[in-house]
Amino acid sequence: KTTEDALIFVLPKADYFVEYKGTNNVGEAITRYYEGRKGALPDGVTKGQVKVATEGETYTGDVIGYASTADWIGYSSRPKVMVSISKDLKLLERLTILSQQETPGLGARAEEMKAETTLLAELGLETLKKEETLVNAPWFQQRFFDRTVDMLYVIKGKGKGIVAISGATITSDAVTEAAKLAWKNLEEHLTEDGKLKK
């Protein structure tokens, strides 16, 4: 999945994206942050394109949300996610997995497009959650849509948290922790007036 495809998915209302690079205390680039902007496109930028931020440059359109990436140790890999965060920083709007090498049939189901099937569902005794059928996205990733930060924890049953993939709690935890880290890193790279640091 390309960065642009992931950004278009997590921030579908944005016309284009501005990319900022976060650095650690020795100046090495460690992650990227994005503003989703809506409105007039800058010269030379097409719809859905990523523009790398340059010192002193201003950008057209309004910021409608942010995106950030992070990874976390899973069962057999480090799943890497991209999340979109609302402009007011109160809601994780969408999540997509950029890469993972988890166990096929277990943790790799985090990218499975079909609905999770259980014996109860096949017998008609259990139905899919409404939010898991609304968009063309993997069913597990839809469980992260429109969540507040206090809802980002894994559960094995009913509740407000993220319901784990059956048989893949470690992968479920890894994706959840990566989402929380992406959110936290984004907040740390915002200025007091809500702009990403260049």
Side-chain angles (χ1 to χ4, degrees):
K1 179 178 308 182
T2 69
T3 298
E4 287 179 350
D5 288 342
L7 284 165
I8 290 167
F9 176 76
V10 298
L11 289 165
K13 295 179 182 172
D15 291 321
Y16 76 102
F17 310 95
V18 180
E19 175 187 285
Y20 299 84
K21 292 180 183 172
T23 57
N24 61 18
N25 58 5
V26 291
E28 299 169 354
I30 55 170
T31 191
R32 291 175 169 79
Y33 307 94
Y34 304 89
E35 289 175 340
R37 290 185 166 261
K38 185 150 189 74
L41 298 173
D43 290 339
V45 175
T46 58
K47 187 168 176 61
Q49 188 175 356
V50 176
K51 177 162 183 50
V52 177
T54 326
E55 191 67 39
E57 191 171 9
T58 58
Y59 305 101
T60 59
D62 297 320
V63 174
I64 61 165
Y66 303 100
S68 179
T69 61
D71 60 41
W72 198 267
I73 189 74
Y75 184 78
S76 58
S77 69
R78 291 187 71 91
K80 183 174 184 179
V81 304
M82 178 181 284
V83 298
S84 58
I85 307 296
S86 61
K87 185 178 176 181
D88 63 6
L89 303 178
K90 292 185 178 180
L91 201 63
L92 187 154
E93 294 177 331
R94 287 191 175 194
L95 173 142
T96 190
I97 295 176
L98 299 174
S99 63
Q100 59 84 19
Q101 295 296 317
E102 295 295 275
T103 308
L106 293 171
R109 294 181 65 213
E111 293 192 282
E112 190 175 72
M113 288 300 290
K114 67 180 181 163
E116 181 175 31
T117 307
T118 65
L119 178 59
L120 290 175
E122 289 178 15
L123 294 173
L125 301 173
E126 179 179 84
T127 57
L128 286 173
K129 294 178 184 170
K130 182 180 175 188
E131 66 270 14
E132 292 176 355
T133 61
L134 295 178
V135 296
N136 189 19
W139 57 267
F140 177 68
Q141 294 171 41
Q142 290 183 46
R143 293 178 177 179
F144 290 84
F145 291 10
D146 298 323
R147 297 293 187 136
T148 55
V149 73
D150 63 323
M151 297 168 82
L152 295 180
Y153 59 93
V154 174
I155 59 174
K156 292 185 180 181
K158 294 183 179 183
K160 291 186 178 182
I162 305 297
V163 179
I165 301 167
S166 181
T169 305
I170 294 172
T171 302
S172 303
D173 282 334
V175 173
T176 303
E177 292 302 320
K180 290 193 310 193
L181 181 60
W183 192 333
K184 179 181 178 226
N185 288 343
L186 175 71
E187 287 180 326
E188 290 175 357
H189 282 83
L190 283 171
T191 62
E192 287 184 20
D193 61 350
K195 296 190 189 269
L196 283 168
K197 298 173 186 173
K198 294 181 184 173

